[in-house]
Amino acid sequence: MAEVINMPRLSDTMEEGTVAKWLKQVGDKVEEGDILAEIETDKATMEFESFHEGTLLYIGIPEGEGAPVDSLLAIVGEEGEDISGLINGAADASNGAKVDPVAENTAEAPVASSSSGSGSADIPEGVEIVKMPRLSDTMEEGTVASWLKKVGDKVEEGDILAEIETDKATMEFESFYSGTLLYIGLQEGESSPVDAVLAIIGPEGTDVDAVLNAKPAAGKSNEVAKEEVKEEKAAEPSQEAVAESVNDGQRIFASPLAKKIAKEKGIDLKDVKGTGDHGRIVRKDIENFVPVQQAAKPATTSQETTSASSAIAPVALPVGEESSEEVKNSQMRKTIAKRLSESKFTAPHYYLTIEVDMDNAKASRAQINNLPDTKVSFNDMVVKACAMALKKHPQVNTSWKGDTTKYNHHIHVGVAVAVEDGLVVPVLKFTDQMNLTQIGAAVKDLAGRARNKKLTPAEMDGSTFTVSNLGMFGILEFTSIINQPNSAILSVGAIVEKPVVKNGQIVVGNTMTLSLACDHRTVDGATGAQFLQTLRAYLENPVTMLA
C-alpha cells in the first residue's frame, strides 16, 4: 500500500521547507532508514530519511522549490501501484484532511500547527510546552532515564534537557527553546506515551497551572518526533552556536555538535586542535581526531562482541528467610520480549548445527595480528565468512513478506551485543565490502557505544542476517531466536581444544560449533545446509576470505 510522505516539520519554527537535493529518484528502491532528500529549513539543511519501504513512485516538490509543512513531498509504494487518487487528493491533505503518515505521529500534530497562532492567546508569550518526543520510528512511549535540568534552571536552545529511554536506546533530548524550566511532567524512571507533556519552558514566574489548563496550548508543543535524531545530522558545524567549556583554566571553544560527538567517543576536547573560526573545535575535528597514544587493551583469544552485566546485586539473607522484589521492566526489555515472542511464534524455526575445524583460523589470526596496528577476533572472521557465504546463497539473505519474499541484494550483518538492560543488534552496513580489519574496528566501536547506550536507531536498523556469539562465556553450543525480519541467525559457540581424527590419526585439534536458526518459510533445509557448508569452507581455509 502506498504511503504519502508530507513535508516534515524539522524545527519548532519551521513553516515551510525547501528541497535542497533529492537523494532518491522516481523508480528507485527505498529501504526504511534511507535518506530521501536534504531539506532546507529556517535553521539548517537536514537529511530526511524514509520510514517506509518500497519504490519511490512520485516526487511532489522538485529540487530548489519550497512548500509549506504538510505539503505532499513524495509517495512510496509498490512498483506499478495506482497513486492517482493520492496525488489528486494532495490539496485536501495539505488542508488537514489527511494526517501526515510519514512520522506516524498522532493526529494532534497538524492541529497543533494550526492552533499555535490563535490558541496561544490564553498563555503568556514565550511559554513552550515540550512533549515526549518520538525518537525512533517504532517508539510508542518513552521513559525519563535522567533529568539534566531541574525546575528553576535556565535553559538555552541546544541544552540537553533529559535522557529519554526508548524501545531501542537511551538518547539525549535537547531543548529547542530558551527560558526557565518551569515544570517537569515526568519524574526520573516514569514513562508516558509519545506526545504526553514532558516539560514547560518559559519566562520565570509564569503561572504553570494556567498553562497546563489551557487546552489549545497543549497542542503547541515542538514537533520533535524525529528532531533529536535529525539534529545530530543537521547542517555544518559553522551553523552551530559557539559553546565553550573550561578545562584546566583554559577556555576551549567547541560547537555543541562537536562536544556531543566527543562525549560519545570519549575524546577529551583539550587534546583536539580546532580548525574553525578562532580555533573553535567543529565536528570534522572530532571525527578526524587520532589520539597520540592509546593504551593497549589485552587482546581476547576469541569473540569479543558480547558482554553481560547484572542489574540486580545479590542479597545476603538470613538462613531460612524468603525474599523477592519486583523490578520495573525497561522499555528495551519490554520491546525485546515483544519482538522475540512475535518471532518465535510466527516464524517456523528449525535448527542446523555443524562443527568447524579452527586450526587454520587460529594460525591465520595469529599471523594477521602480528602485523602493526592490526587486531582481528575470531568473531570478525565469522562475520566476514557469513557475508561472503550470503553472496553465494541469496535465499538466506531474505525476508518473508506474506505474499512475497524480499531478496536483499545488499548484505547488512547485525551483531548481537548484550547490554545491561538486555540485547541490542548494531548493524554493519555492506559487510561484504569490508575487510577483516574494517569489520574488527566497526564491531569494537559499535559494541562499545551499545554498552554506553550511545547507538542511534539508524545504527540498529536494516540487518539482513544476524550473528550471536556466546563463545567467550564458554558456551559450546546454543540456538537463537531469529531477529525479524531476517530469515536466519547464526549462533557461535566457543573454540575448544579436543581430540580429533585427522588422516586416520587421533590428534589434538581446535573446533567450534555453529548453529543456524532458519525461517522455514524462506529457507529450506537443503539451502540452510549448503550455506553452512560454504561458511565452514571459508573458516577452515581463511586465505579464501583474503583472496
Side-chain angles (χ1 to χ4, degrees), residues 118-135:
S118 60
S120 61
D122 293 335
I123 65 172
E125 183 179 355
V127 173
E128 301 290 350
I129 294 182
V130 180
K131 291 191 175 182
M132 176 63 74
R134 189 188 301 273
L135 299 176

Side-chain angles (χ1 to χ4, degrees), residues 82-83 97 101 111 142 152 161 188 192 230 306 325 343 349 395 438 496 506 510 521 537:
D82 183 10
I83 59 172
V111 176
L161 280 180
E188 292 184 357
S192 73
K230 294 180 183 299
T306 310
E325 65 177 304
S343 177
H349 287 53
Q395 189 73 39
Q438 289 172 328
V496 294
I506 298 177
N510 295 276
R521 297 174 299 180

Side-chain angles (χ1 to χ4, degrees), residues 162-232:
E163 292 183 340
I164 305 295
E165 181 184 336
T166 75
D167 58 333
K168 293 186 176 180
T170 298
M171 305 173 68
E172 293 178 338
F173 175 57
E174 67 181 66
S175 173
F176 296 93
Y177 308 105
S178 297
T180 300
L181 183 57
L182 304 173
Y183 172 81
I184 286 177
L186 290 174
Q187 300 304 313
E188 292 184 357
E190 292 183 349
S191 304
S192 73
V194 170
D195 288 334
V197 175
L198 183 63
I200 297 176
I201 295 174
E204 193 171 356
T206 299
D207 185 350
V208 174
D209 290 337
V211 175
L212 291 172
N213 292 330
K215 293 186 181 297
K220 190 191 170 187
S221 75
N222 50 336
E223 289 192 18
V224 292
K226 298 282 186 274
E227 287 184 22
E228 199 280 342
V229 177
K230 294 180 183 299
E231 282 295 320
E232 293 183 27

Side-chain angles (χ1 to χ4, degrees), residues 525-545:
T527 303
Q530 291 164 0
F531 171 83
L532 284 178
Q533 288 178 338
T534 301
L535 183 62
R536 175 161 54 192
Y538 281 129
L539 289 173
E540 292 186 346
N541 301 279
V543 68
T544 58
M545 292 191 287

Side-chain angles (χ1 to χ4, degrees), residues 26-100:
V26 172
D28 287 354
K29 296 295 183 183
V30 177
E31 299 290 333
E32 182 177 347
D34 284 355
I35 304 301
L36 282 179
E38 293 179 353
I39 306 294
E40 182 180 340
T41 75
D42 57 334
K43 292 186 175 181
T45 299
M46 307 171 72
E47 293 178 337
F48 177 59
E49 65 184 63
S50 173
F51 296 95
H52 307 289
E53 295 183 353
T55 300
L56 183 56
L57 303 175
Y58 177 78
I59 287 178
I61 305 173
E63 288 185 3
E65 292 190 10
V69 169
D70 291 334
S71 299
L72 177 61
L73 179 65
I75 298 176
V76 172
E78 296 182 3
E79 191 170 0
E81 188 173 355
D82 183 10
I83 59 172
S84 57
L86 295 176
I87 298 174
N88 294 333
D92 292 335
S94 65
N95 290 329
K98 291 186 67 177
V99 176
D100 178 10

